[in-house]
Amino acid sequence: MTLLDGKQTAKKHKERIAQEVCALKEKGITPGLAVVIVGDDPASRVYVNNKKRDCAQCGVYSEEHALPAETTQEQLLALISRLNHNADIHGILVQLPLPSHLDEQDVLLAIDPQKDVDAFHPFNVGRIMIGDYDLLPCTPAGIMALLDEYGVAISGRECVVVGRSNIVGKPQAMLLLHRHGTVTLCHSRTKDLGEVTRRADILVAAVGREGLITGDMIKEGAVVIDVAMNKNAAGKLVGDVVFEEAAEKASFITPVPGGVGPMTRVMLLRNTLTAAQKVIGAEVGN
Ligand code: NAP
């Protein structure tokens, strides 16, 4: 069994990104990311701080717009409009979740699709559907990069994705399909989950339920990707997959933490760089 080391792989990607940022700066463009955070959710604060640190490490300019919890929809939309028109900003990320009085969908729709570095805007979602995309949602993009790093073949293989959210499960299924996997998408109404997952050559678990995927649900030699980040009773970060059981069957498996998480983070930098490169029509690197 080989561990799919997201931390190491993300480090390599960061180094490549830093080089491309340097090259872009020589052409007079510094990639810029604006991160918008509304309210004082502690988890969101940690995520935003991490994003700012990642940017600094790769030479990407970042600015934070921290708004009070009572910010109105109009105020938030006005800020997004200003950022849409700011030539120094190539990527806009609104940290979710937003306070409940704000309309998340409306806010995401207001972001210029060219600056939509989360790739949540329906324009970019549609482009992913037809297989003509440049900005990808960070988690599925990170998983594809991790599979590629370890030379995992996708074409013709049975790929099972558990979870059908718009940010992970659905785009993940599309990306595997574009790479010619035979894809099955499971969700809470799937009748016999184990019967489906046991067919998987590549299994992606993105549910958010500790212990959901046990060893007996995994095919011998499968590649197992655990996206979930659950806190267990001891306060430890765990995935959906029972790691010790799965590791006995899997050919490759991601750890939690240190698997998908770091890859997700690095893909935000990749998207910001891609958005900046588009400005001068520069060659987009991988
Ligand atoms: P989500 O929006 O809550 O979606 C969860 C999905 O799981 C839904 O499609 C749901 O089905 C399905 N589901 C629930 N119970 C199920 C069951 N018993 N059997 C099969 N499917 C079931 O979650 P998300 O945003 O996609 O995130 C999923 C997990 O990934 C969470 O733990 C989250 O924290 C983690 N995550 C990690 C990263 C990272 O960087 N590592 C990034 C994003 C998310 P229905 O559609 O039928 O309700």
Side-chain angles (χ1 to χ4, degrees):
M1 182 275 295
T2 302
L3 218 50
L4 294 167
D5 189 336
K7 229 170 156 179
Q8 270 308 315
T9 308
K11 196 165 162 253
K12 278 196 204 172
H13 276 261
K14 262 184 166 172
E15 285 164 8
R16 245 177 278 158
I17 289 167
Q19 284 169 9
E20 287 180 53
V21 168
C22 271
L24 200 58
K25 282 180 174 172
E26 279 168 17
K27 292 176 181 162
I29 293 184
T30 299
L33 175 70
V35 182
V36 180
I37 177 170
V38 186
D40 46 17
D41 177 57
S44 293
R45 169 46 57 201
V46 171
Y47 293 140
V48 167
N49 289 347
N50 287 341
K51 284 164 187 170
K52 282 167 31 188
R53 193 176 322 125
D54 289 342
C55 284
Q57 285 169 355
C58 289
V60 171
Y61 166 75
S62 73
E63 59 183 41
E64 178 185 316
H65 297 264
L67 305 179
E70 57 277 12
T71 298
T72 64
Q73 184 83 4
E74 290 68 30
Q75 287 168 327
L76 182 53
L77 291 177
L79 170 62
I80 289 171
S81 171
R82 283 199 301 279
L83 294 171
N84 281 342
H85 291 98
N86 182 342
D88 294 333
I89 294 301
H90 305 96
I92 303 170
L93 183 141
V94 178
Q95 186 64 48
L96 302 178
L98 290 170
S100 58
H101 67 281
L102 297 172
D103 182 338
E104 233 165 66
Q105 205 48 42
D106 237 31
V107 170
L108 296 180
L109 267 173
I111 296 172
D112 179 346
Q114 307 301 325
K115 298 190 177 189
D116 172 35
V117 284
D118 259 336
F120 293 164
H121 191 289
F123 177 81
N124 288 317
V125 174
R127 289 191 66 185
I128 293 164
M129 193 75 178
I130 60 173
D132 169 32
Y133 44 78
D134 40 33
L135 299 174
L136 284 174
C138 297
T139 300
I143 290 171
M144 298 307 282
L146 194 56
L147 292 174
D148 287 342
E149 173 70 19
Y150 284 84
V152 173
I154 299 167
S155 180
R157 301 182 84 192
E158 291 283 342
C159 304
V160 174
V161 180
V162 189
R164 58 173 164 181
S165 71
N166 289 333
I167 63 168
V168 186
K170 282 183 203 163
Q172 185 65 69
M174 288 313 300
L175 295 188
L176 290 164
L177 185 63
H178 290 319
R179 296 281 295 274
H180 313 296
T182 300
V183 182
T184 307
L185 195 47
C186 300
H187 44 79
S188 65
R189 314 283 177 95
T190 298
K191 283 243 164 58
D192 184 348
L193 187 61
E195 190 268 322
V196 184
T197 59
R198 270 188 292 277
R199 297 203 300 260
D201 298 313
I202 299 173
L203 175 63
V204 181
V207 172
R209 188 176 293 194
E210 181 191 354
L212 181 72
I213 310 288
T214 48
D216 62 314
M217 296 166 75
I218 293 168
K219 179 176 167 176
E220 201 68 51
V223 177
V224 179
I225 307 288
D226 196 348
V227 181
M229 297 192 301
N230 311 304
K231 278 264 171 77
N232 72 6
K236 202 175 150 234
L237 200 62
V238 295
D240 290 338
V241 177
V242 181
F243 183 86
E244 299 72 24
E245 293 179 16
E248 287 188 8
K249 295 265 200 74
S251 55
F252 293 91
I253 186 167
T254 55
V256 178
V260 175
M263 294 304 296
T264 297
R265 276 172 64 176
V266 83
M267 287 302 144
L268 175 64
L269 297 172
R270 168 55 66 194
N271 278 345
T272 305
L273 178 57
T274 299
Q277 285 169 327
K278 281 197 300 184
V279 170
I280 53 165
E283 196 68 51
V284 176
N286 282 307

